[in-house]
């Protein structure tokens, strides 16, 4: 099989892996006039672009191979799938990365893989690609490697020495989901791999504080990915698992990837992909947990364990807690201000800064480009119109407006409407 055909198969197979952002990478080749090699994650950064289905394709995003000994029922690359197969050699991945970089097509590499032979064998191949790029090719661009759950700590150590970020994908939010849909995987194996990376990352940071010449280890940290909609798990389950991973494993990011039905999948799997708005709402909720002081359990309820598709998670929370509002912009603590719909972290920072000098007025909020139609009903501020509405009226106020019909949407006649009523 020629290289172009392999590239077509293995680049397409990699599109289901969403955990490839490069934020946090700090690897430099020395700057202008001092360059020691190729690439620079800090000076030029990574430019991202997205396919229509939301996948990031800015990096050279590949699988080393889509052969896999596992039989994860939601995965197109499972051992029982009849998808076309291909496998790169280490030399081929190194060659493609350098040649694409020199042509300014990419600025880094995201490399994952199906499991071939064993977790150790697969991890060894991935680590060798990173070593060759760093040592033989003097490549300083961004490198993100998959951490194979179950691989030895020695191989994870080798990979982390050359990669900027690694990701051990948890895939599904609960161990019961894994047992049902990915029986060769377990939450315990993923947890042990993440723990090994976390501990070695912390050790390397301490060693770097003592000596700047100490080797880096996975400087951009680790991330993971969960498939949304393949199982019956709710958004509450997903957010709880994500929150635990942030706290316990100190992950930089959890990525949510909507399940994509594949040909030949088992009949008990969903026939359609979940609405992309669900994936979007999970990212919004994830942001609230990480930067706005929300607990994952606050964003859903036991009676409604899935996030609202109509309202964003912060607005939904505000509509469920009318007694919490209005928040006085001039006296409320930061924690309360962050819960006001329409107030971002930057707006709250500006409010707190201004409060040290004088009282904040409505005109100040408008000068900060605060969306007052959104924030107004939830705050008390001098000069602002006090909008006091009953909770049910507030829900109606923020109900999404009807969308204009598409040109070819079938319009029902009065008679047809009466028949359907």
């Amino acid at each position: 099989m020629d290289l172009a055909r392999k590239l077509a198969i293995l680049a397409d197979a990699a599109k289901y892996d969403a955990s490839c952002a490069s934020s946090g990478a700090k690897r430099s080749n020395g700057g202008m006039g001092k360059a020691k090699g190729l690439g620079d994650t800090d000076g030029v950064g990574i430019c991202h672009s997205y396919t229509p289905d939301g996948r990031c394709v800015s990096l050279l995003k590949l699988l080393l191979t889509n052969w896999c000994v596992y039989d994860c029922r939601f995965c197109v690359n499972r051992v029982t799938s009849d998808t076309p197969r291909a496998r790169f050699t280490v030399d081929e991945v190194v060659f493609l990365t350098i040649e694409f970089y020199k042509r300014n097509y990419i600025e880094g590499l995201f490399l994952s893989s199906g499991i071939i032979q064993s977790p150790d064998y697969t991890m060894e191949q991935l680590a060798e690609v990173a070593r060759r790029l760093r040592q033989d090719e003097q490549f300083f661009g961004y490198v993100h490697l998959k951490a194979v759950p179950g691989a030895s700590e020695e191989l994870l150590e080798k990979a982390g020495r050359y990669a900027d970020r690694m990701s051990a994908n948890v895939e599904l939010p609960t161990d019961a989901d894994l047992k049902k849909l990915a029986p060769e995987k377990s939450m315990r194996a993923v947890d042990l791999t993440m723990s090994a990376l976390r501990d070695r990352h912390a050790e390397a940071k301490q060693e770097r504080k003592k000596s700047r010449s100490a080797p880096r280890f996975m400087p951009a940290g680790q991330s993971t990915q969960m498939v949304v909609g393949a199982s019956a798990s709710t958004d509450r389950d997903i957010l709880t698992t994500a929150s635990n991973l942030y706290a316990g494993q100190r992950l930089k990011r959890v990525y949510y990837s909507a399940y994509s039905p594949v040909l030949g999948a088992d009949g008990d799997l969903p026939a359609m992909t979940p609405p992309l708005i669900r994936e979007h709402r999970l990212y919004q909720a994830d942001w609230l947990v990480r930067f706005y002081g929300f607990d994952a359990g606050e964003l859903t309820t036991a009676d409604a364990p899935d996030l609202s598709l109509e309202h964003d998670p912060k607005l939904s929370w505000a509509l469920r807690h009318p007694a919490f509002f209005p928040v006085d912009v001039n006296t409320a603590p930061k924690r309360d201000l962050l819960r006001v719909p329409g107030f971002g972290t930057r707006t709250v920072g500006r409010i707190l800064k201004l409060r040290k000098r004088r009282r904040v007025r409505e005109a100040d909020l408008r000068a900060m480009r605060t969306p007052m139609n959104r924030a107004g009903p939830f705050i008390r501020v001098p000069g602002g119109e006090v909008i006091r509405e009953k909770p049910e009226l507030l829900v109606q106020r923020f109900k999404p407006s009807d969308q204009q019909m598409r040109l070819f949407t079938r319009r029902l006649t009065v008679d047809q409407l009466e028949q359907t009523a």
Side-chain angles (χ1 to χ4, degrees), residues 249-326:
Q249 300 295 354
R250 299 172 199 160
L251 298 190
K252 291 292 184 180
R253 289 292 304 272
V254 175
Y255 293 87
Y256 308 97
S257 178
Y259 165 69
S260 297
V262 293
L263 289 175
D266 292 342
D268 58 342
L269 287 172
M272 297 180 64
T273 191
L276 283 180
I277 188 67
R278 183 183 178 193
E279 189 181 286
H280 182 62
R281 294 290 185 235
L282 283 167
Y283 277 113
Q284 290 178 317
D286 184 282
W287 206 257
L288 293 179
V289 171
R290 293 164 62 206
F291 301 111
Y292 286 76
F294 281 85
D295 184 84
E298 294 179 276
L299 299 171
T300 56
T301 65
D303 294 335
D306 288 317
L307 296 168
S308 166
L309 301 184
E310 283 195 336
H311 303 124
D312 68 73
K314 191 202 268 192
L315 179 59
S316 293
W317 182 88
L319 294 174
R320 289 199 306 272
H321 297 82
F324 186 83
F325 300 99

Side-chain angles (χ1 to χ4, degrees), residues 3 6 64 87-95 125 129:
L3 194 56
K6 289 185 183 179
L64 183 67
R87 178 179 174 181
F88 283 128
T89 64
V90 170
D91 286 345
E92 287 171 335
V93 177
V94 172
F95 170 79
Q125 297 280 299
V129 170

Side-chain angles (χ1 to χ4, degrees), residues 193-348:
T193 299
M194 287 182 176
S195 297
L197 293 175
R198 177 200 61 200
D199 295 344
R200 183 65 193 97
H201 178 67
E203 287 176 12
K205 286 181 71 174
Q206 290 301 317
E207 291 167 1
R208 292 275 297 176
K209 287 180 181 177
K210 297 174 184 174
S211 170
R212 299 300 296 172
S213 61
R216 294 172 181 268
F217 182 86
M218 199 182 65
Q222 60 173 322
S223 59
T224 192
Q225 169 179 298
M226 271 190 277
V227 178
V228 176
S231 69
S233 290
T234 64
D235 293 344
R236 191 177 183 85
D237 299 325
I238 293 170
L239 290 172
T240 300
T241 298
S243 184
N244 291 339
L245 290 174
Y246 281 127
Q249 300 295 354
R250 299 172 199 160
L251 298 190
K252 291 292 184 180
R253 289 292 304 272
V254 175
Y255 293 87
Y256 308 97
S257 178
Y259 165 69
S260 297
V262 293
L263 289 175
D266 292 342
D268 58 342
L269 287 172
M272 297 180 64
T273 191
L276 283 180
I277 188 67
R278 183 183 178 193
E279 189 181 286
H280 182 62
R281 294 290 185 235
L282 283 167
Y283 277 113
Q284 290 178 317
D286 184 282
W287 206 257
L288 293 179
V289 171
R290 293 164 62 206
F291 301 111
Y292 286 76
F294 281 85
D295 184 84
E298 294 179 276
L299 299 171
T300 56
T301 65
D303 294 335
D306 288 317
L307 296 168
S308 166
L309 301 184
E310 283 195 336
H311 303 124
D312 68 73
K314 191 202 268 192
L315 179 59
S316 293
W317 182 88
L319 294 174
R320 289 199 306 272
H321 297 82
F324 186 83
F325 300 99
V327 168
D328 192 319
V329 174
N330 283 291
T331 59
K334 179 179 179 180
R335 176 184 182 278
D336 292 356
L337 291 174
L338 285 171
R339 293 184 174 239
V340 175
F343 280 12
T345 53
R346 183 176 296 182
T347 298
V348 171

Side-chain angles (χ1 to χ4, degrees), residues 139-179:
F139 181 70
F140 287 82
Y142 179 77
V143 175
H144 184 148
L145 293 183
K146 176 176 182 176
V148 182
S152 70
E153 291 192 18
E154 291 75 16
L155 289 170
L156 294 174
E157 162 73 26
K158 179 181 178 182
R161 202 181 309 150
Y162 303 112
D164 292 287
R165 175 169 286 184
M166 296 179 69
S167 54
N169 288 347
V170 68
E171 303 291 9
L172 296 167
T174 68
D175 208 37
D177 287 342
L178 284 174
K179 286 177 181 173

